[in-house]
């Protein structure tokens, strides 16, 4: 009996590895001799580095970088178990959680630190870099990151642009001829779970600007500045990012990575599925368990449990989801490969208590799921 345990983290309560461990502990109480394979998963956002490191026996490297407001922050990146692939989480350098709610201002915040993390990974001599984008504090079109990597963005006086989404209004020329040459020799992939365009009603500024502290007037200014950025990129580099799906991810970081660095944008969960070799591992499994903090109708839009379930269903494997909680509309997941879902919360309780008891609640639920599974066989 081979059981694959491939959950995402439960935001704010358990890492993916902690979830997987608790599921295994619960299952073992009923099925002590089964083979368990734990694969902590993620879909590109926070937790992606930890998951890929855990899954591949890699290492985390601490590397202080420039934070969203220009201050130093203790950033990090991962080197996967193959020793050749670096994984970077944009949020570690330029994340929203690094800025207090009062200080959030996407006119000013910069993605420069994410570029510094990429440089640090290059210094490590890697052949492949995966950049997870999302959870960002920035709306600068990724220009901070681009400048850190050698792109020259200048105003009409030939001066380098300053930090932030506001500075984009001054952009007069883009020159990519001084990009760090090592980038041309490696594979650069972007792990992303949104497909928003750069500008307009579904664009970076309108959809994600407010959560970063943008007022309605700022949203209009930022949207206009990103359109200007796209126009200059089109004129100087003959690249049209304005209508590319995903260009609006992480405040236009998608546009910079796709347009300036020719990166490949992929669904975050697909990247993680490939990295952990899920397809090969699942082929001869008897049961697949997945999960995330909350399984709801959003889950079907590129979230971890659906990615795992789709892979499992290629080989007709049964899939069970164990989640922190469920929404009433979670039933849609059954059409996407998750056969049954269970919430771990054993009694009415507030979120604080649920977070505190998370590991034991997962274990208890997993024990009972295992018992049901055995009864049904
Ligand atoms: N231990 C837990 N018990 C109950 N609910 C949880 C627990 N952990 C997370 N959640 C719920 O999951 C939500 C986060 O969902 P999650 O799927 O982890 O994040 P996202 O959808 O942003 O990737 C939390 O806001 C909370 O409602
Ligand atoms: O950083 C952002 O702008 C958004 C979209 O990429 O991230 P999240 O989906 O985590 O809010």
């Amino acid at each position: 009996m081979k059981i694959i345990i491939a959950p995402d983290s439960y935001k704010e309560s358990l890492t993916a590895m902690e979830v997987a461990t608790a599921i295994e502990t619960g299952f073992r109480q009923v099925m002590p001799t089964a083979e368990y394979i734990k694969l902590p998963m993620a879909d590109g956002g926070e937790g992606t580095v930890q998951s890929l490191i855990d899954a591949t026996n890699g290492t985390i490297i601490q590397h202080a970088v420039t934070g969203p407001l220009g201050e130093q922050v203790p950033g990090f990146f991962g080197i996967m178990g193959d020793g050749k692939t670096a994984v970077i989480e944009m949020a570690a350098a330029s994340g929203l959680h690094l800025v207090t709610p009062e200080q959030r201002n996407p006119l000013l915040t910069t993605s420069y630190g994410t570029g510094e993390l990429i440089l640090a990974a290059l210094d490590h001599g890697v052949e492949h870099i995966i950049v997870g984008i999302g959870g960002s504090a920035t709306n600068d079109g990724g220009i901070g990151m681009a400048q850190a990597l050698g792109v020259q963005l200048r105003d009409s006086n030939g001066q380098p642009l300053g930090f932030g989404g506001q500075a984009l209004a001054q952009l007069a020329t883009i020159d990519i001829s001084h990009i760090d040459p090592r980038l041309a020799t490696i594979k650069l992939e972007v792990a992303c779970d949104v497909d928003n365009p750069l500008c307009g009603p579904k664009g970076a500024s309108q959809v994600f600007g407010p959560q970063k502290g943008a007022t309605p007037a700022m949203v209009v200014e930022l949207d206009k500045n990103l359109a200007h950025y796209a126009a200059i990129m089109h004129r100087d580099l003959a690249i049209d990012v304005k209508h590319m799906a995903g260009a609006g991810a992480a405040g236009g970081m998608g546009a910079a990575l796709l347009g300036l660095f020719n990166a490949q944008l992929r669904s975050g969960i697909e990247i993680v599925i490939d990295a952990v070799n899920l397809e090969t591992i699942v082929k001869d499994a008897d049961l697949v368990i997945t999960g995330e903090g909350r399984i709801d109708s959003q889950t079907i839009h590129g979230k971890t449990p659906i990615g795992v379930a789709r892979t499992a269903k290629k080989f007709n494997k049964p899939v069970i989801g164990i989640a922190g909680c469920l929404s009433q509309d979670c039933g849609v997941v059954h059409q996407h490969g998750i056969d049954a879902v269970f919430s771990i919360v054993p009694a009415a309780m507030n979120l604080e208590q649920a977070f505190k008891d998370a590991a034991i609640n997962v274990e208890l639920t997993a024990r009972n799921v295992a018992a049901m599974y055995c009864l049904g066989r």
Side-chain angles (χ1 to χ4, degrees):
M1 172 72 58
K2 179 174 166 185
I3 299 175
I4 311 299
I5 306 174
D8 204 327
S9 56
Y10 291 5
K11 208 182 228 170
E12 295 179 275
S13 64
L14 295 172
T15 66
M17 186 53 117
E18 287 168 341
V19 176
T21 301
I23 291 174
E24 180 181 353
T25 308
F27 259 74
R28 275 197 188 280
Q29 290 162 22
V30 180
M31 303 165 71
T33 57
E35 180 193 0
Y36 296 94
I37 298 187
K38 295 198 290 293
L39 296 172
M41 304 296 286
D43 52 24
E46 278 174 77
T48 301
V49 171
Q50 190 66 51
S51 293
L52 290 177
I53 293 317
D54 286 343
T56 63
N57 268 329
T59 45
I60 294 217
I61 295 176
Q62 303 296 331
H63 186 81
V65 291
T66 306
L69 288 169
E71 75 292 15
Q72 282 275 298
V73 295
F76 63 89
F77 64 100
I79 298 288
M80 283 168 52
D82 65 0
K84 298 177 190 160
T85 305
V87 54
I88 288 169
E89 216 168 86
M90 176 187 184
S94 320
L96 195 56
H97 68 282
L98 298 172
V99 188
T100 61
E102 305 76 54
Q103 285 185 306
R104 288 178 189 172
N105 182 347
L107 292 175
L108 307 177
T109 45
T110 179
S111 58
Y112 195 87
T114 301
E116 292 176 308
L117 285 182
I118 296 174
L119 282 178
L122 288 170
D123 289 344
H124 238 80
V126 294
E127 295 170 11
H128 179 187
I129 299 181
I130 298 170
V131 186
I133 62 176
S136 68
T138 55
N139 206 106
D140 71 346
I143 58 161
M145 171 204 63
Q147 286 173 317
L149 294 171
V151 177
Q152 295 185 346
L153 297 117
R154 299 188 182 279
D155 64 18
S156 53
N157 296 318
Q159 293 303 310
L161 284 199
F163 284 163
Q166 192 167 40
L168 277 170
Q170 313 305 322
L171 180 64
T173 58
I174 305 181
D175 177 0
I176 56 171
S177 61
H178 302 285
I179 284 182
D180 191 310
R182 293 173 295 177
L183 280 164
T185 66
I186 61 140
K187 179 171 167 189
L188 183 62
E189 275 189 310
V190 184
C192 176
D193 68 352
V194 305
D195 56 5
N196 299 67
L198 188 61
C199 305
K202 295 214 162 117
S205 315
Q206 292 215 27
V207 177
F208 302 107
Q211 75 188 25
K212 303 173 189 185
T215 61
M218 284 186 204
V219 166
V220 172
E221 182 178 347
L222 290 163
D223 190 57
K224 195 165 143 234
N225 289 357
L226 287 178
H228 172 65
Y229 172 50
I232 301 284
M233 213 190 286
H234 194 222
R235 187 201 65 199
D236 287 5
L237 307 173
I239 296 161
D240 183 8
V241 289
K242 207 168 168 188
H243 305 291
M244 281 182 190
M253 191 72 158
L257 286 161
L258 290 167
L260 304 175
F261 297 96
N262 202 19
Q264 295 160 34
L265 190 79
R266 285 181 63 199
S267 130
I269 181 59
E270 278 172 22
I271 288 186
V272 176
I273 282 172
D274 274 5
V276 305
N277 253 324
L278 184 64
E279 198 160 314
T280 311
I281 294 172
V282 118
K283 261 184 197 154
D284 61 345
D286 296 287
L287 175 65
V288 178
I289 319 277
T290 184
E292 65 175 330
R294 181 178 152 102
I295 291 185
D296 55 22
S297 56
Q298 284 306 304
T299 300
I300 61 171
H301 297 293
K303 298 289 183 112
T304 292
I306 287 305
V308 170
R310 288 202 180 122
T311 307
K313 285 303 179 213
K314 283 189 191 168
F315 307 99
N316 263 325
K317 304 298 178 186
V319 180
I320 294 175
I322 297 180
C325 60
L326 303 171
S327 69
Q328 287 186 344
D329 62 6
C330 69
V332 290
V333 302
H334 304 315
Q335 289 138 41
H336 294 265
I338 305 184
D339 299 296
V341 289
F342 296 88
S343 161
I344 62 164
V345 183
M349 62 175 68
N350 61 31
L351 213 48
E352 197 186 353
Q353 188 66 37
F355 286 172
K356 199 165 147 272
D357 296 345
I360 186 68
N361 289 345
V362 172
E363 187 183 316
L364 193 66
T365 307
R367 187 256 163 230
N368 286 299
V369 168
M372 271 307 291
Y373 178 73
C374 290
L375 286 173
R377 287 178 75 226

